[in-house]
Amino acid sequence: MARPLAADDGWLDPGPFLRGVAWLDEGRPVRADPADTMRLPWDTGERAALPIGVRLEFTTESARALEIRYRATVPGPTDALRGLAHGFALWNRHGMLTEVFTEPAAEAVVRVGITGGRGPFTVHPPEAQSPVILGVRGIGGPISPAPTAPRWVVHGDSITEGWWSTRPAHGWPAVAGRAMGWDTVNLGYAGAACGELATAEQLAGLPADVLTLAFGTNCWSPRAPFTPAMLYETTRAFLDLVRQGHPSTPLLLLSPVLRPDAERTPNRLGATLGALRDAMERATRDRMAAGDGRLALLPGRDLLGPEHLADGLHPDDDGHQVLGLAVCTALRRAGFDAG
């Protein structure tokens, strides 16, 4: 049972209701191990502070509304995040039921009306202002934490983080997790995810029932260029380290999706994204051939078309939907949804 924060106001500790939590740092959900941040690139540490994919899940017999007490960063007048929607969206397994928009506040309470039966329900908070949920309570009846689900840990770059999706619930990991009925833990780091071995070690120590790796696109970029040989060995090493903590956990590797400007264009070291993708897929197939029966590969090149890319790189909402459902199909074909 969730315990009240104060006996006279009905607020409940949000901890039992939170899903998508990787680590806690003094009670605040974060997406990198707070004891191991010094080995990560600084931008990974910054992205990891955003609660991407963290959400509330609950059931109720009679509550007509949910109240959420939260703390969030208030953007300044020139902050680029000031124009982003600050909405709390209520979903059930059929889709979104309602969305309530508020203004960012240092501390506030938002009320979300409940329709659609008993649940389970999911509330996706706004992510950009780094909200910390302080308490939850039912209005008109009690609420209970939703049943736990298999824990799916997804690591990738800005595409995995959900860039260019219009809402937190529309990013491809959220789409796929909802379809699979899993607890999605989103470890997508915009600008990073180049096979950092410290991240592999953190993944090895994180509880997971299923794992998905979706990095590689940024290995073409001018900022961190790779050659095919470098990415082949990096992929092998990354998988080796993850397997030290998850020797038999189902693991799907998704190679980079379409990036038209990079497919045949050499990077600073002379590698095209097509050649890098081939190296990554070859490293995965070699490990599978060597006996890793709980590893599967989803080639990313043909999953999306140019019409799915909002900016030539990141999927729009339709693209995220297509990608999420393609990942679901791959997981099921590999038998990773069993049990």
Side-chain angles (χ1 to χ4, degrees):
M1 290 293 292
R3 64 176 178 80
L5 294 178
D8 60 348
D9 59 13
W11 288 110
L12 301 174
D13 177 1
F17 296 87
L18 289 175
R19 301 292 184 268
V21 177
W23 293 271
L24 293 172
D25 184 9
E26 298 182 350
R28 179 173 60 92
V30 293
R31 299 184 304 119
D33 186 349
D36 190 35
T37 56
M38 295 300 292
R39 294 195 300 147
L40 298 174
W42 71 268
D43 53 352
T44 300
E46 284 200 344
R47 302 310 300 179
L50 293 175
I52 306 296
V54 177
R55 60 208 182 275
L56 294 162
E57 296 193 352
F58 68 98
T59 62
T60 183
E61 295 284 342
S62 56
R64 65 179 184 274
L66 173 75
E67 285 194 336
I68 303 167
R69 186 158 60 92
Y70 68 95
R71 179 184 302 123
T73 302
V74 180
T78 62
D79 196 316
L81 300 178
R82 188 174 182 85
L84 294 180
H86 193 70
F88 293 77
L90 178 73
W91 286 67
N92 66 8
R93 63 188 181 89
H94 300 295
M96 191 181 77
L97 300 172
T98 189
E99 191 170 22
V100 177
F101 292 95
T102 66
E103 292 296 326
E107 186 168 331
V109 174
V110 62
R111 178 176 291 196
V112 181
I114 297 172
T115 60
R118 303 175 179 177
F121 298 103
T122 300
V123 174
H124 292 270
E127 296 170 340
Q129 281 78 33
S130 302
V132 176
I133 307 302
L134 303 175
V136 295
R137 64 183 176 187
I139 302 300
I143 59 171
S144 299
T148 58
R151 183 175 164 92
W152 179 38
V153 176
V154 185
H155 168 61
D157 48 36
S158 57
I159 296 173
T160 297
E161 197 178 83
W163 278 38
W164 283 94
S165 62
T166 57
R167 296 289 188 275
H170 295 173
W172 76 259
V175 170
R178 200 159 47 242
M180 301 295 290
W182 290 349
D183 177 8
T184 304
V185 179
N186 188 321
L187 302 185
Y189 307 130
C194 293
E196 294 87 353
L197 298 186
T199 296
E201 291 184 327
Q202 292 191 11
L203 290 170
L206 194 63
D209 297 301
V210 185
L211 291 158
T212 294
L213 307 178
F215 64 90
T217 295
N218 290 333
C219 296
W220 176 85
S221 68
R223 180 182 172 194
F226 277 59
T227 66
M230 289 169 61
L231 189 53
Y232 177 88
E233 294 300 337
T234 296
T235 303
R236 285 175 59 91
F238 200 98
L239 289 169
D240 283 346
L241 289 173
V242 171
R243 278 295 187 225
Q244 289 178 18
H246 294 281
S248 59
T249 302
L251 193 161
L252 175 72
L253 188 141
L254 166 64
S255 67
V257 298
L258 175 69
R259 182 172 177 173
D261 68 333
E263 293 297 331
R264 298 182 181 180
T265 304
N267 66 10
R268 291 172 59 196
L269 297 180
T272 66
L273 182 59
L276 293 172
R277 184 186 295 111
D278 289 345
M280 193 173 194
E281 293 176 359
R282 181 161 45 87
T284 306
R285 291 192 177 100
D286 286 351
R287 185 179 182 94
M288 294 165 65
D292 192 337
R294 301 292 278 170
L295 175 63
L297 171 67
L298 175 58
R301 169 60 179 80
D302 297 325
L303 299 180
L304 300 177
E307 70 276 11
H308 295 123
L309 304 178
D311 61 349
L313 170 60
H314 301 94
D316 57 15
D317 280 349
D318 288 342
H320 277 285
Q321 178 79 8
V322 169
L323 186 54
L325 296 181
V327 169
C328 288
T329 297
L331 290 164
R332 289 170 175 145
R333 285 178 176 169
F336 293 170
D337 60 333

